[in-house]
Amino acid sequence: MKSTQNKNQKGLDYYHKNKVSVCISLFPYGEIPDEYFEEKFTHKKTRATNTWSNNFKLSYFNPNYMETNGIYSGTIMIKKAMGACSFSSSYVEALMTTARQKKIEEITWIVLLYDQAYDVTKSGVEKDEYMIFLGVFDYDETADNLFEADQNKA
């Protein structure tokens, strides 16, 4: 995995085609301050930063390559949250294995950052006050979305 830092950037660039970096939250979404996710844009609105990305030392993220899902109060099963916002089932088994290893079944929020291979060893950040880095997974955009894949198995 390659991460680079430009002298003008405050974070690292984790671009990696066909990877998805996943962060989750166990903190009640309704209690996370709005400014945590407020985006500041550059490069014709193709690059964004916010408190979350700064805390995880990302130089920026492309909002077009990011999906989020969650529940305002209470919790949601991680597979359901992921499936509702992912267009590919290609990494669901690996994600669920990682979640089970970390004893995580229910979450409040999930962030899927496509074409990014976040690296905790380079950033030194695995979690902040609201979000936890779950892992990096291989992503195949041609795979069925999770709900279609589940229906095809039935």
Side-chain angles (χ1 to χ4, degrees):
M1 285 183 272
K2 180 182 174 189
S3 60
T4 58
Q5 184 171 22
N6 183 316
K7 289 181 183 178
N8 298 327
Q9 295 174 334
K10 291 185 178 181
L12 295 164
D13 178 2
Y14 296 99
Y15 176 80
H16 196 291
K17 189 85 173 137
N18 300 320
K19 296 287 185 181
V20 58
S21 294
V22 179
C23 288
I24 54 103
S25 182
L26 304 174
F27 195 89
Y29 180 74
E31 296 178 26
I32 299 175
D34 290 341
E35 53 271 7
Y36 183 78
F37 291 112
E38 280 180 11
E39 298 170 339
K40 296 174 189 89
F41 292 94
T42 60
H43 287 76
K44 299 181 182 179
K45 296 200 177 218
T46 61
R47 294 182 179 179
T49 59
N50 57 22
T51 302
W52 165 75
S53 66
N54 292 338
N55 289 353
F56 280 82
K57 298 184 180 177
L58 299 171
S59 58
Y60 67 89
F61 61 91
N62 183 331
N64 294 325
Y65 291 90
M66 177 185 202
E67 297 292 338
T68 64
N69 191 31
I71 190 162
Y72 190 77
S73 63
T75 60
I76 186 171
M77 297 301 290
I78 191 168
K79 186 174 182 179
K80 184 175 181 180
M82 177 263 186
C85 66
S86 175
F87 298 105
S88 173
S89 61
S90 62
Y91 59 98
V92 68
E93 291 306 320
L95 183 147
M96 293 307 299
T97 297
T98 300
R100 281 190 292 276
Q101 289 170 345
K102 294 184 177 192
K103 299 189 183 337
I104 298 170
E105 293 181 22
E106 296 184 18
I107 61 170
T108 59
W109 198 252
I110 191 165
V111 174
L112 309 175
L113 199 55
Y114 295 99
D115 290 341
Q116 296 289 311
Y118 182 74
D119 187 343
V120 171
T121 61
K122 296 206 184 326
S123 71
V125 180
E126 186 172 6
K127 64 182 180 175
D128 71 3
E129 186 176 358
Y130 306 113
M131 301 295 290
I132 302 165
F133 172 68
L134 187 62
V136 175
F137 306 97
D138 293 328
Y139 172 73
D140 178 0
E141 64 186 30
T142 64
D144 288 340
N145 79 32
L146 181 59
F147 292 138
E148 287 175 353
D150 284 348
Q151 288 174 352
N152 291 339
K153 289 180 185 176

